[in-house]
Amino acid sequence: MPLYKSQTLKIYNSLSGEKETFTPINEGNVGMYVCGPTVYSNVHLGNVRTFMSFDVIFRYLQHLDYKVRYVRNITDVGHIVDDVDEGEDKIAKKARLEQLEPMEVVQRYTVDFHDILNAFNFLPPSIEPTATGHIIEQIEIIKTIIDKGIGYVANGSVYFDVVKFNETNNYGVLSGRNIEDMLANTRDLDGQSDKRNPQDFALWKKAEPQHIMRWPSPWSDGFPGWHLECTAMSTKYLGNHFDIHGGGMDLKFPHHECEIAQNEACTGHTPVNYWMHANMLTLNGKKMAKSTGNNILPGEILTGDNAFLSKAFSASVARFFMLQAHYRSILDFSDEAIIAAEKGYKRLMDAMETLKAISAKETSSLDISGWKQLCYDAMNDDFNTPILIAQLFEGVRFINLLKDEKETLNPADLKLFTITMQAFVFDVLGLEEEKSNGNTDKLEGVVNMLIGMRKQARDNKDFAMSDQIRDQLITLGIQLKDGKEGTTFSIN
């Protein structure tokens, strides 16, 4: 029996503002679309957090034995600088500044995006389509919207008529905005715009002579609007009605609101059952922004080449840090916070290594089945990774009790416990054990040599020397622990 049949998953739906029991459209199958990056610069840490949230969601759905088609796009055209309908395409602007072809810019930063996500142990999506690869599909959607009377052509550009759409639908259903209020709070058109209403958004923009990225269409040589690509690619690969659509909180309006409008104008029904939005990441209590210098790139965490952190941190430590907060919560990144996360991560990895050496006994004194369900309860509650991590540290406590033989597990419970810890730590959270290198091996050898010297001193009743070795190791952040099987150490 698939695991999802025994677990009740609840998802916070931005559309309703409530947690709802997840019921896929087709039993056993999940269609999930997540808005991907605009590849005109290095992927920033806030993007990584958003994509990590959906990576864990993807992992958990697969863990529950769902067959998941996960689509995450690459925006390589059509994204305007100020995210409305005026200004310059971000990729074209970068190409002009660096004297490159636009597709050179796209290639450079798509490679960077994949390199960073691979370093952070992301699973690849099922499909990763590009906006430029779906121009034909976008043109066909525009034709349908025009035929429905919701789109109009003006001077070679095509706009979505929000007011006309709102006569029979609800523009603002996702963001909670009211069209009348939006109209009242918007300046009057100054006569220089082709739009009928200030809230109308571009489906197709006529390219100015200097615009580099352009395609032929029935209306003009131009390029598609920002919102259109996601409507085209999500419906092409997931159908006109699918399960989950995700992205950053900043995309709720106008991007996702416009997606809903486009879909409903074409099909007459809502496109998505569950809308999910990940919250933002701050740095030292302030919004991250290149313009203010309060910014750090993911790769700079791994190298330590930045002005904010006292040292370099591994990708798994950074991943563990981010998953300590719920995906819908604001998370503040700081040197102190990631140092604390590193200590927790190492405790968890040390326990996973210790677990390998635990032996089964005849009886069990721990309720492993009950603890296991608490792990599932955490993830079933809108993918609550911080509560899951708390349960995993309860598992760490179990491991230490088992190691000290203060508790026992029979063979069946030990197997269940081991499988569950491994599944949630490595498969669901996507953490990895740090690879040992030559320096680590040498450090371990030196510490073990000192442990041997300390043991010899104790055997010779030279307790002053024994205590001196222990205390000096503590000052270096190396904690010794004496047990029945000998002395072990951990690095704090």
Side-chain angles (χ1 to χ4, degrees):
M1 182 177 73
L3 191 53
Y4 63 79
K5 285 185 176 292
S6 64
Q7 302 295 329
T8 301
L9 172 62
K10 288 186 178 293
I11 295 177
Y12 181 85
N13 191 348
S14 298
L15 198 60
S16 65
E18 297 178 353
K19 291 179 186 177
E20 300 176 5
T21 299
F22 178 63
T23 306
I25 296 166
N26 299 305
E27 184 182 335
N29 295 273
V30 178
M32 181 170 76
Y33 185 89
V34 173
C35 293
T38 302
V39 282
Y40 70 99
S41 65
N42 298 104
V43 61
H44 64 73
L45 196 59
N47 290 145
V48 170
R49 190 207 175 186
T50 294
F51 298 132
M52 186 180 296
S53 298
F54 289 100
D55 180 63
V56 170
I57 289 166
F58 179 37
R59 286 170 174 273
Y60 187 61
L61 290 170
Q62 288 187 315
H63 176 75
L64 292 179
D65 298 322
Y66 284 113
K67 182 179 180 181
V68 186
R69 178 176 288 180
Y70 174 22
V71 183
R72 186 186 65 214
N73 71 299
I74 296 286
T75 296
D76 55 355
V77 67
H79 199 160
I80 306 302
V81 169
D82 55 6
D83 293 345
V84 288
D85 297 325
E86 308 301 330
E88 189 175 4
D89 182 281
K90 289 181 177 179
I91 293 167
K93 180 179 181 181
K94 190 78 169 185
R96 179 174 54 78
L97 291 173
E98 298 192 11
Q99 297 184 320
L100 298 170
E101 282 293 323
M103 284 301 144
E104 288 184 89
V105 174
V106 166
Q107 179 68 10
R108 173 187 297 176
Y109 294 113
T110 300
V111 169
D112 169 73
F113 174 68
H114 289 144
D115 286 347
I116 290 298
L117 265 57
N118 287 337
F120 280 83
N121 196 33
F122 283 57
L123 296 178
S126 314
I127 303 172
E128 193 173 52
T130 63
T132 55
H134 296 77
I135 298 295
I136 293 173
E137 288 85 352
Q138 294 177 73
I139 288 173
E140 291 304 310
I141 289 173
I142 296 171
K143 290 178 181 178
T144 300
I145 293 174
I146 291 173
D147 290 344
K148 299 274 188 176
I150 307 296
Y152 59 91
V153 183
N155 294 325
S157 295
V158 185
Y159 296 95
F160 188 97
D161 192 332
V162 170
V163 173
K164 179 70 173 177
F165 172 79
N166 203 60
E167 291 175 1
T168 54
N169 299 78
N170 181 10
Y171 183 78
V173 64
L174 178 65
S175 60
R177 302 190 183 205
N178 182 281
I179 185 68
E180 286 78 14
D181 292 340
M182 285 190 276
L183 289 169
N185 293 328
T186 305
R187 63 175 175 81
D188 293 333
L189 291 173
D190 58 11
Q192 297 183 14
S193 173
D194 294 324
K195 296 180 183 181
R196 293 175 183 171
N197 312 290
Q199 275 65 41
D200 294 353
F201 57 89
L203 299 171
W204 187 266
K205 286 290 288 183
K206 180 181 179 180
E208 299 299 324
Q210 69 274 17
H211 198 93
I212 306 172
M213 302 184 81
R214 56 204 296 144
W215 289 264
S217 79
W219 314 285
S220 65
D221 278 5
F223 52 94
W226 169 33
H227 314 301
L228 192 63
E229 62 181 277
C230 288
T231 295
M233 289 184 278
S234 63
T235 55
K236 180 180 177 70
Y237 298 109
L238 299 175
N240 291 331
H241 188 203
F242 56 96
D243 298 299
I244 298 172
H245 193 313
M249 197 76 76
D250 57 317
L251 297 180
K252 185 184 290 188
F253 187 89
H255 185 52
H256 290 161
E257 197 74 73
C258 293
E259 277 194 65
I260 291 174
Q262 290 168 163
N263 276 275
E264 289 186 357
C266 287
T267 66
H269 60 74
T270 186
V272 179
N273 284 355
Y274 304 88
W275 285 90
M276 302 182 68
H277 293 93
N279 216 324
M280 65 185 295
L281 186 70
T282 58
L283 178 60
N284 293 323
K286 300 177 182 178
K287 182 179 179 180
M288 281 197 285
K290 291 181 183 177
S291 58
T292 63
N294 194 54
N295 183 63
I296 184 171
L297 293 174
E300 293 172 343
I301 297 172
L302 310 183
T303 62
D305 185 18
N306 62 82
F308 300 97
L309 302 180
S310 56
K311 63 172 188 172
F313 294 89
S314 73
S316 265
V317 167
R319 185 179 178 106
F320 180 75
F321 162 74
M322 291 190 197
L323 296 178
Q324 286 181 308
H326 190 265
Y327 77 90
R328 287 192 290 113
S329 301
I330 293 175
L331 174 62
D332 187 52
F333 187 85
S334 68
D335 190 47
E336 295 80 6
I338 196 168
I339 286 173
E342 184 179 50
K343 292 179 180 178
Y345 166 79
K346 288 182 176 179
R347 276 185 60 211
L348 183 58
M349 290 302 124
D350 287 346
M352 294 303 294
E353 188 64 28
T354 300
L355 180 57
K356 297 175 184 177
I358 299 295
S359 300
K361 307 298 180 184
E362 290 185 9
T363 60
S364 293
S365 59
L366 295 169
D367 179 12
I368 297 303
S369 294
W371 165 83
K372 174 186 173 182
Q373 188 54 51
L374 290 175
C375 292
Y376 279 102
D377 289 346
M379 288 302 288
N380 290 338
D381 183 17
D382 192 32
F383 309 98
N384 200 322
T385 55
I387 299 300
L388 171 63
I389 289 171
Q391 292 301 332
L392 293 176
F393 276 103
E394 179 69 359
V396 170
R397 189 177 73 85
F398 288 176
I399 291 168
N400 291 329
L401 291 170
L402 293 167
K403 178 187 174 184
D404 294 340
E405 297 186 354
K406 295 177 180 178
E407 303 283 0
T408 60
L409 291 178
N410 64 33
D413 279 344
L414 179 59
K415 181 179 180 181
L416 177 64
F417 180 52
T418 301
I419 289 173
T420 304
M421 284 291 292
Q422 290 176 339
F424 280 107
V425 171
F426 301 122
D427 299 339
V428 174
L429 294 183
L431 300 176
E432 294 182 291
E433 294 179 281
E434 290 185 358
K435 308 294 188 294
S436 63
N437 53 41
N439 290 335
T440 303
D441 293 339
K442 290 175 183 177
L443 173 62
E444 185 174 341
V446 170
V447 175
N448 283 328
M449 178 183 70
L450 290 170
I451 288 173
M453 292 171 63
R454 176 172 173 263
K455 181 179 183 301
Q456 184 175 358
R458 293 173 73 180
D459 290 343
N460 295 334
K461 301 189 184 304
D462 187 353
F463 298 112
M465 176 60 70
S466 170
D467 290 345
Q468 183 181 358
I469 292 172
R470 180 200 62 202
D471 294 342
Q472 288 184 347
L473 286 172
I474 288 173
T475 63
L476 295 173
I478 300 171
Q479 184 77 41
L480 300 184
K481 186 173 182 180
D482 297 316
K484 293 182 179 179
E485 305 298 322
T487 302
T488 58
F489 72 91
S490 60
I491 302 174
N492 300 321

